[in-house]
Amino acid sequence: MHRLLLLGCLWLLAAPPASSIFQRPTGTPAPPRLQFLLEPLHPTVHTQRGATATLPCVLRALPRNYRVKWSKVEPANYRENIIIITNGLYHKNYGPLSPRVRLRHSHRLDASLTITDVALEDEGRYRCQLVNGLEDESVSLTLHLEGVVFPYQPSNGRYKFNYHEAKRACEQQDSRLATYQQLYKAWTEGLDWCNAGWILDGTVHYPIINSREPCGGRLLLPGVRSYGARDKQKDRFDAFCFTSALQGQVYFIRGHLNFKEAGQACRNHGAAIAKVGQLYSAWKFSQLDRCDGGWLADGSVRYPITTPRERCGGLPDPGVRSFGFPSKEMRTYGTYCFVG
């Protein structure tokens, strides 16, 4: 119950004014207007990994003895982690974001937060709170990373990850567990996957566009279907990972290489064998398109297609195709390398 109430509160922070959704019941007091903070024109800031992003927070006036506190709401535990506190003259940074954040301070009323070298874990909801005795007020903003969601399972088959293993597996592939919003957006863009997977908040889902018998039956409507919250230690599923733009380049080396030779071929070029998330990022942001299967760092063989054609798998949609996890001794494929 407490969790449902907290989720409701977080939704209300992001919702438009009540009058734009429904008419306020007679006798219900209007929500307090912001006295010192300006409502942001755009509550969502769009960016990519590696960029610099600024979350706007501007004061109308400077009250006496005020402080501004920036914090981030973490979806995995619904806690707010303090990032920075300022009184206009001095400030103090907190937490893992500390080395990469500063106040923009373009003028004396500007308390906007600037994040440099944006990382995957920076996406989410932020709060700028004016602390002024009994007249505290705040604005809520969302930092949104452009990126791509991909399903992931290990070499030993489907449904092998508990939550913590899924989280670690995504991080090892240059990505992180996707949020529900990222998975939902990926579904609207065409992600159709029958295996259920963990997402960042500890719930389990799978996105279906084409209803079919092995995936809940033909009578169930398309959508992001949910198993709800599961036991993070005991329950086992696949993972849905999210990655964004690369700070580097993925390229292909031809050859008939086994897995060990593939890694050495990349090192000979001053590069490393590419990770799954890096290949997806190159496909999404650099339109990497090759009909050649290549080894990746996890031992899988994949290839990226942006222009579907008959002799490259025959599937009608763009995507990263997979040959699974063949024997690492096979000398059949080239390799995808990453240089940063």
Side-chain angles (χ1 to χ4, degrees), residues 156-233:
N156 56 343
R158 69 197 288 261
Y159 294 176
K160 299 297 183 182
F161 295 135
N162 67 23
Y163 172 82
H164 306 287
E165 292 163 345
K167 184 173 182 290
R168 187 161 55 250
C170 288
E171 291 167 355
Q172 288 170 348
Q173 296 307 314
D174 193 51
S175 60
R176 71 182 303 225
L177 278 176
T179 65
Y180 181 81
Q181 289 79 7
Q182 290 164 345
L183 181 62
Y184 184 87
K185 183 174 184 290
W187 170 72
T188 67
E189 295 172 347
L191 182 59
D192 183 287
W193 197 254
C194 204
N195 293 349
W198 294 101
I199 63 172
L200 187 59
D201 65 1
T203 57
V204 174
H205 308 266
Y206 64 103
I208 292 295
I209 290 176
N210 301 307
S211 299
R212 50 202 186 273
E213 287 304 327
C215 303
R218 297 181 183 274
L219 298 180
L220 282 180
L221 292 174
V224 179
R225 297 173 182 168
S226 176
Y227 287 10
R230 312 298 291 190
D231 189 306
K232 292 182 178 181
Q233 294 286 354

Side-chain angles (χ1 to χ4, degrees), residues 52-68:
T52 296
T54 297
L55 300 168
C57 184
V58 179
L59 283 69
R60 300 174 190 269
L62 298 178
R64 290 186 178 182
N65 302 320
Y66 78 97
R67 289 180 298 151
V68 170

Side-chain angles (χ1 to χ4, degrees), residues 94-114:
Y94 297 85
L97 266 174
S98 180
R100 297 188 289 111
V101 295
R102 57 180 171 82
L103 295 170
R104 183 173 63 180
H105 259 331
S106 58
H107 52 79
R108 67 190 189 94
L109 300 176
D110 185 13
S112 302
L113 182 74
T114 295

Side-chain angles (χ1 to χ4, degrees), residues 300-315:
S300 65
V301 173
R302 306 174 196 248
Y303 62 101
I305 295 295
T306 57
T307 305
R309 46 209 186 270
E310 188 64 32
R311 299 184 66 180
C312 290
L315 296 175

Side-chain angles (χ1 to χ4, degrees), residues 137-300:
E137 55 189 53
S138 65
V139 294
S140 180
L141 300 111
T142 298
L143 185 66
H144 172 77
L145 269 68
E146 300 295 337
V148 58
V149 171
F150 60 94
Y152 189 74
Q153 58 183 224
S155 59
N156 56 343
R158 69 197 288 261
Y159 294 176
K160 299 297 183 182
F161 295 135
N162 67 23
Y163 172 82
H164 306 287
E165 292 163 345
K167 184 173 182 290
R168 187 161 55 250
C170 288
E171 291 167 355
Q172 288 170 348
Q173 296 307 314
D174 193 51
S175 60
R176 71 182 303 225
L177 278 176
T179 65
Y180 181 81
Q181 289 79 7
Q182 290 164 345
L183 181 62
Y184 184 87
K185 183 174 184 290
W187 170 72
T188 67
E189 295 172 347
L191 182 59
D192 183 287
W193 197 254
C194 204
N195 293 349
W198 294 101
I199 63 172
L200 187 59
D201 65 1
T203 57
V204 174
H205 308 266
Y206 64 103
I208 292 295
I209 290 176
N210 301 307
S211 299
R212 50 202 186 273
E213 287 304 327
C215 303
R218 297 181 183 274
L219 298 180
L220 282 180
L221 292 174
V224 179
R225 297 173 182 168
S226 176
Y227 287 10
R230 312 298 291 190
D231 189 306
K232 292 182 178 181
Q233 294 286 354
K234 297 179 181 177
D235 290 328
R236 295 189 173 271
F237 298 95
D238 292 346
F240 286 105
C241 305
F242 170 84
T243 192
S244 185
L246 282 175
Q247 298 294 102
Q249 180 187 7
V250 172
Y251 62 93
F252 181 73
I253 294 179
R254 289 183 178 276
H256 297 282
L257 310 170
N258 63 31
F259 177 71
K260 184 177 180 180
E261 292 166 343
Q264 187 59 52
C266 291
R267 290 191 292 275
N268 291 345
H269 286 75
I273 189 168
K275 299 178 179 181
V276 177
Q278 291 167 340
L279 185 65
Y280 269 93
S281 181
W283 166 75
K284 174 76 172 180
F285 292 98
S286 302
Q287 287 73 55
L288 183 62
D289 183 293
R290 288 206 67 102
C291 209
D292 306 280
W295 291 103
L296 295 177
D298 67 340
S300 65

